[in-house]
Amino acid sequence: MNKNSTFCGLYCGACLCNIAWETNTLKEMSERLNRPEETLSCTNCKTALHQDCSFVVCCSKKNFNDCSECPEMPCVTLTEFANDGISHHASCIINLSRIKEIGLSEFLLEQEKKYTCPQCHARIGWSYTKCLACGIDIKHE
């Protein structure tokens, strides 16, 4: 099990909360986002099994590793999630299709490369337009 994979197809390696915790920049991230540090806690759904998440409940019940294994993908719940207005949620169905095509391990390698600064190799988040470590412009493709 990889800590950056989810049931719904999000890539947790680009999560601002995870980046802040893993790079020991929680205080800076808290100030940047104008949010208390305690609200910047996110545990991966596969390790903490958030029982309030419909994807956790559904995949656990069907014994799926993620929604890409479901013949009903994309279901109504996943489609609504992907269209809820939160920009990184929009990638879920595309990500799950990619997982189905190339497998989870290869997908995670692709995502790691996509969300790593090409100049200084710092981790970058879903919404970054500049690398916080070196300042270069970031273009997510």
Side-chain angles (χ1 to χ4, degrees):
M1 173 177 33
N2 185 293
K3 66 183 174 100
N4 289 324
S5 69
T6 61
F7 291 103
C8 66
L10 287 179
Y11 173 67
C12 289
C15 171
L16 298 180
C17 297
N18 287 337
I19 292 171
W21 279 96
E22 291 175 17
T23 59
N24 207 20
T25 57
L26 192 60
K27 182 176 172 50
E28 294 91 340
M29 189 67 71
S30 169
E31 290 169 359
R32 180 174 172 253
L33 298 174
N34 197 27
R35 289 177 49 191
E37 287 182 36
E38 58 272 11
T39 66
L40 297 177
S41 62
C42 179
T43 53
N44 179 278
C45 66
K46 288 190 175 180
T47 56
L49 290 179
H50 298 285
Q51 294 306 313
D52 59 337
C53 173
S54 59
F55 304 114
V56 170
V57 172
C58 185
C59 286
S60 296
K61 189 164 116 177
K62 294 178 179 178
N63 203 28
F64 290 154
N65 290 311
D66 58 56
C67 295
S68 73
E69 296 177 357
C70 184
E72 297 173 34
M73 198 279 288
C75 65
V76 171
T77 305
L78 188 59
T79 302
E80 288 174 354
F81 182 71
N83 292 301
D84 67 4
I86 298 174
S87 60
H88 60 276
H89 290 182
S91 67
C92 286
I93 296 171
I94 295 165
N95 290 352
L96 290 163
S97 295
R98 189 74 177 141
I99 291 167
K100 194 172 195 165
E101 179 184 342
I102 65 171
L104 181 60
S105 295
E106 287 300 314
F107 169 77
L108 290 171
L109 289 172
E110 283 183 354
Q111 294 296 294
E112 182 179 343
K113 183 178 179 182
K114 179 178 180 177
Y115 291 105
T116 298
C117 176
Q119 182 166 301
C120 73
H121 306 291
R123 288 181 55 201
I124 53 179
W126 292 305
S127 60
Y128 288 14
T129 56
K130 290 192 177 293
C131 174
L132 299 182
C134 71
I136 70 162
D137 288 336
I138 301 295
K139 293 181 181 162
H140 295 290
E141 298 171 13

